[in-house]
RNA sequence: GGCGCUAUCGUCUAGGGGACUAGGACGGGGCCCUCUCAAGGCCCAAACACGGGUUCGAAUCCCGUUAGCGCUACCA
């Protein structure tokens, strides 16, 4: 058996949708798993909606996810001549015919059928035209499309994910394969290209299932054996409807913006509609490739769960070496208006375990670079209210004690010792000293251990902020 | 309306006739750890859509019902 040839064939009429990205991922995984070839083909035959900008965004999104291709990108628009030749060949072999019906006429027939409660099926009136009539109309310059003759027999195939699927030819109508402007319609273009590119496995969303019998008929009419079809389930929004803009972020670029790591996105997408069997959740690229099979693809559509994506991103974030986060975090800091040339590594290290996205890391790093940026959140406010005057007083005492430490002693061990002594001298719980410090420095009651926080913020900035907050809350300033 | 696809915890899923008291993960709840949170560990709640078969035995095979979704263009 020769190595499979698969393709990802997006149309550049919008951004790279997560559903498309997942289809691309499956194709890529299958190619890598089998040692096959992954072909990228841009289906830009819808001239009205296709743009180069969209093509660029799709390519960028694939690269970001680490999805590579071995051939292409090919552009479908460049094969118009072959599409036309295929249509004309079918016409010459009497497997297709010219249709002179206008859009208006067809629209009328459709609405009439609808009103009668019957499904519309083209009535083949142009197939019945006498040949002199056809010649006459053609010579008079009347525009026409080319329609493919659908036979009435059953068309069935063994889908690699669904098993046997069967349609009756009589339920399908003679569909248009070539527009009156001589350009191919989707079904013809796809089949023509897949034949030319020797595609052996067509993996695509299962919203294409109903196109498949038409395409199989086309393969046969063109004297070719159809490829293996694998229809992968769709991705739904949380309401169970097809994922769309209404559901918020649907483009791969949106998640990149939100600080999701490509490896996390890839892992999450792989597990949406595919399972390696067993309990595996976090899968490295090579494991994914090794374990990927068509049999593991789910039949049922899957709901995109952002919360789980973020959890997975958190997993990747904490496993990632700090070095690899420095650049993405610095980029984000600049967008936040923070330009500081300090070494970010210790700061990232101290916050990344508590973060789910790069944005979240950057926000926290920004506050540690400059505690004056800290804004009180509801939990911080609640603590101040709850502690009353003790908040400012304890803060003042802590600041005074910490001020005694010299720069070289501003280390986690000494810091925690100092604060413990303050607590003991006041016969206060450690938390009553620690929490005000935490709130003063971060605005919230949540952070890394306070001693680490102080160390990372640094002596000068910490003392300044602590005194400031103590003063503002009725405590004694030491600065 | 027609045609097609699908159906296990709220969500992602494991499960291929007996190993099912239906497992894992996210999310939720609790406990431990602890200055807080996260992480980690332990625990709890939570599902085989319904009805018929087949079989000694069905989440698993078959049929029907219901529901959801997709397609039904000179879009892709």
């Amino acid at each position: 058996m020769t190595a499979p040839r698969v393709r990802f064939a997006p149309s550049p009429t919008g951004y790279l949708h997560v559903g498309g990205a997942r289809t691309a991922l499956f194709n890529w995984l299958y190619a890598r798993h089998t040692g096959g070839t992954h072909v990228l083909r841009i289906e830009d035959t819808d001239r009205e909606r296709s743009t180069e900008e969209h093509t660029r965004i799709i390519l960028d999104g694939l690269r970001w996810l680490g999805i590579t291709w071995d051939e292409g990108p090919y552009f479908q628009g460049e094969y118009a001549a072959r599409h036309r030749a295929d249509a004309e060949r079918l016409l010459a072999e009497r497997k297709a015919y010219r249709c002179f019906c206008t859009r208006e006429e067809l629209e009328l027939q459709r609405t009439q059928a609808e009103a009668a409660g019957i499904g519309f099926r083209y009535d083949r009136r142009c197939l019945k035209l006498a040949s002199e009539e056809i010649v006459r109309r053609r010579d008079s310059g009347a525009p026409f499309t080319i329609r493919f003759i659908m036979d009435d027999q059953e068309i069935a195939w063994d889908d690699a994910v669904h098993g046997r699927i069967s349609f009756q030819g009589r339920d399908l109508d003679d569909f248009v394969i070539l527009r009156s402007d001589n350009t191919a319609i989707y079904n013809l273009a796809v089949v023509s290209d897949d034949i030319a590119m020797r595609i052996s496995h067509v993996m695509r969303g299962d919203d294409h299932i109903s196109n498949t019998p038409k395409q199989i008929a086309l393969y046969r009419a063109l004297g070719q054996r159809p490829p293996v079809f694998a229809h992968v389930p769709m991705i739904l929004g949380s309401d169970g409807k097809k994922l769309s803009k209404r559901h918020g972020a649907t483009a791969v670029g949106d998640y990149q913006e939100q600080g999701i790591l490509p490896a996390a996105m890839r892992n999450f997408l792989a597990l949406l509609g595919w399972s390696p069997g067993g309990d595996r959740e976090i899968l490295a690229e090579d494991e994914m490739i090794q374990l990927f099979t068509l049999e593991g693809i789910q039949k049922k559509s899957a709901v995109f769960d952002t919360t789980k994506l973020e959890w997975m991103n958190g997993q990747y974030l904490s496993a990632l070496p700090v070095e690899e986060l420095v650049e993405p975090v610095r980029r984000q800091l600049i967008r936040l208006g923070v330009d500081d040339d300090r070494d970010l590594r210790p700061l990232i290290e101290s916050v990344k375990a508590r973060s789910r996205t790069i944005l979240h890391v950057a926000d926290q790093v920004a506050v540690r670079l400059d505690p004056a940026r800290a804004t009180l959140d509801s939990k911080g406010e609640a603590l101040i209210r709850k502690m009353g005057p003790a908040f400012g007083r304890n803060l003042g005492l802590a600041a005074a004690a910490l001020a005694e430490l010299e720069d070289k002693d501003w280390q986690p061990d000494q810091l925690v010792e100092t604060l413990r002594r303050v607590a003991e001298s006041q016969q206060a719980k450690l938390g009553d000293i620690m929490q005000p410090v935490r709130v003063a420095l971060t605005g919230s009651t949540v952070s890394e251990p306070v001693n680490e926080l102080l160390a990372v913020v640094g002596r000068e900035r910490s003392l300044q902020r602590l005194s400031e907050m103590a003063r503002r809350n009725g405590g004694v300033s030491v600065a």
Side-chain angles (χ1 to χ4, degrees):
Chain A
M1 182 179 149
T2 56
R5 289 174 59 84
V6 297
R7 86 305 198 266
F8 175 55
S11 49
T13 53
Y15 299 135
L16 179 59
H17 189 270
V18 292
R22 206 265 322 251
T23 302
L25 178 61
F26 283 7
N27 275 289
W28 175 76
L29 285 170
Y30 188 66
R32 289 294 168 273
H33 177 82
T34 57
T37 305
H38 186 211
V39 177
L40 179 62
R41 183 175 72 224
I42 305 295
E43 309 213 320
D44 55 351
T45 51
D46 184 347
R47 290 255 190 76
E48 304 268 302
R49 296 190 293 157
S50 301
T51 68
E52 282 182 27
E53 172 69 359
H54 284 141
T55 299
R56 193 184 58 72
I57 289 170
I58 289 168
L59 261 39
D60 285 350
L62 292 174
R63 289 193 194 99
W64 180 70
L65 282 167
I67 296 171
T68 56
W69 51 93
D70 309 302
E71 284 183 24
Y74 297 120
F75 290 85
Q76 191 160 58
E78 292 171 16
Y79 306 110
R82 186 184 66 242
H83 302 156
R84 202 174 306 134
D86 282 337
E88 274 157 14
R89 183 182 138 199
L90 292 172
L91 185 63
E93 294 176 3
R94 300 191 180 283
K95 292 169 177 166
Y97 57 95
R98 291 186 181 85
C99 175
F100 296 91
C101 296
T102 63
R103 287 172 206 259
E104 292 72 28
E105 284 166 347
L106 291 166
E107 193 51 46
L108 185 67
Q109 292 174 43
R110 227 187 308 277
T111 41
Q112 280 170 350
E114 193 147 329
I118 326 161
F120 172 73
R121 194 177 177 224
Y122 181 62
D123 63 6
R124 290 188 163 168
R125 63 182 66 176
C126 287
L127 178 59
K128 295 160 196 152
L129 253 31
S131 49
E132 313 84 70
E133 177 64 11
I134 296 172
V135 171
R136 194 190 63 75
R137 289 205 197 182
R138 194 188 51 184
D139 291 351
S140 75
F144 60 86
T145 62
I146 295 180
R147 280 185 188 272
F148 179 73
I149 300 176
M150 273 303 292
D151 289 331
D152 278 352
Q153 315 120 324
E154 176 187 58
I155 299 179
W157 74 96
D158 289 306
D159 195 275
V161 348
H162 292 274
R164 192 149 189 90
I165 298 179
S166 142
F167 284 79
Q168 296 301 323
R170 71 176 105 82
D171 291 326
L172 276 17
D173 68 355
D174 291 348
F175 58 97
V176 172
I177 54 177
L178 200 72
R179 297 185 185 96
S180 50
D181 68 357
N182 263 328
T183 61
I185 228 68
Y186 170 75
N187 281 312
L188 204 226
V190 164
V191 170
S192 180
D193 288 354
D194 283 340
I195 289 171
M197 294 171 192
R198 306 185 334 275
I199 298 302
S200 64
H201 293 66
V202 170
M203 219 181 299
R204 71 215 324 185
D206 68 15
D207 47 340
H208 283 288
I209 286 178
S210 30
N211 279 320
T212 307
K214 297 177 186 176
Q215 294 178 197
I216 288 175
L218 244 19
Y219 273 98
R220 289 184 184 151
L222 289 166
Q224 300 289 327
R225 219 177 63 221
V228 172
F229 290 98
H231 287 98
V232 310
M234 307 227 297
I235 297 179
L236 274 24
S238 48
D239 56 356
K241 297 269 197 294
K242 192 173 177 175
L243 197 63
S244 73
K245 289 268 188 286
R246 284 188 303 110
H247 296 100
T250 55
V252 167
D254 294 337
Y255 292 95
Q256 185 176 3
E257 288 281 307
Q258 288 175 20
I260 298 293
L261 296 163
M265 190 70 187
R266 188 173 54 201
N267 195 155
F268 176 75
L269 249 21
L271 258 24
L272 212 54
W274 171 73
S275 163
D279 295 341
R280 303 299 306 278
E281 295 284 345
I282 304 291
L283 295 163
E285 180 181 318
D286 55 338
E287 293 177 296
M288 245 183 255
I289 290 170
Q290 194 208 330
L291 294 168
F292 189 82
T293 62
L294 264 27
E295 291 71 35
I297 298 177
Q298 205 71 17
K299 291 189 179 78
K300 186 179 69 157
S301 43
V303 172
F304 192 92
D305 181 4
T306 314
T307 309
K308 188 158 183 177
L309 201 214
E310 288 184 357
W311 165 78
M312 189 164 278
N313 201 55
Q315 296 288 306
Y316 274 86
L317 217 44
S318 31
L320 202 66
V322 212
E323 284 68 31
E324 295 185 35
L325 283 167
V326 171
E327 272 321 300
V329 170
R330 197 179 292 282
R331 271 199 297 278
Q332 186 56 33
L333 283 174
I334 289 166
R335 292 172 66 176
L336 289 173
V338 180
D339 197 2
D340 196 307
D341 56 5
R342 259 181 283 172
D343 181 7
L344 296 180
R345 286 174 302 181
L347 293 102
I348 294 172
E349 189 64 70
S350 80
V351 302
K352 78 181 176 107
R354 253 167 306 278
S355 306
R356 293 208 147 186
T357 66
I358 291 172
L359 258 54
H360 193 197
V361 170
D363 285 344
Q364 295 176 83
V365 166
V367 169
R368 280 148 188 79
L369 283 169
D370 178 12
R373 296 179 65 93
T375 50
L376 270 184
D377 69 8
S378 58
K379 286 186 278 188
E381 280 172 5
L383 184 88
I384 293 176
R385 230 178 303 120
K386 192 180 130 210
M387 289 188 69
F391 180 87
R393 189 171 62 235
N394 290 358
L395 212 44
L397 292 164
L402 289 168
E404 299 294 313
L405 284 175
E406 286 177 40
D407 210 31
K408 68 173 170 54
D409 294 324
W410 195 265
Q411 303 294 334
D413 289 351
Q414 278 98 319
L415 288 164
V416 77
E417 256 326 297
T418 305
L419 292 173
R420 265 187 221 289
R421 280 200 302 274
V422 174
E424 278 163 23
S425 72
Q426 295 303 303
Q427 297 187 329
K429 283 185 293 185
L430 194 51
D432 288 340
I433 305 300
M434 297 291 206
Q435 283 298 65
V437 173
R438 173 174 282 121
V439 170
L441 256 28
T442 67
S444 182
T445 58
V446 172
S447 84
E448 63 271 48
V450 165
N451 56 332
E452 287 175 28
L453 175 64
L454 284 161
V456 125
V457 172
R459 187 174 185 273
E460 294 313 313
R461 286 185 182 78
S462 297
L463 290 176
Q464 197 182 345
R465 175 71 179 175
L466 258 26
S467 304
E468 158 81 18
M469 287 298 281
R471 196 179 327 120
R472 273 204 257 160
N473 288 279
V476 181
S477 168
V478 293

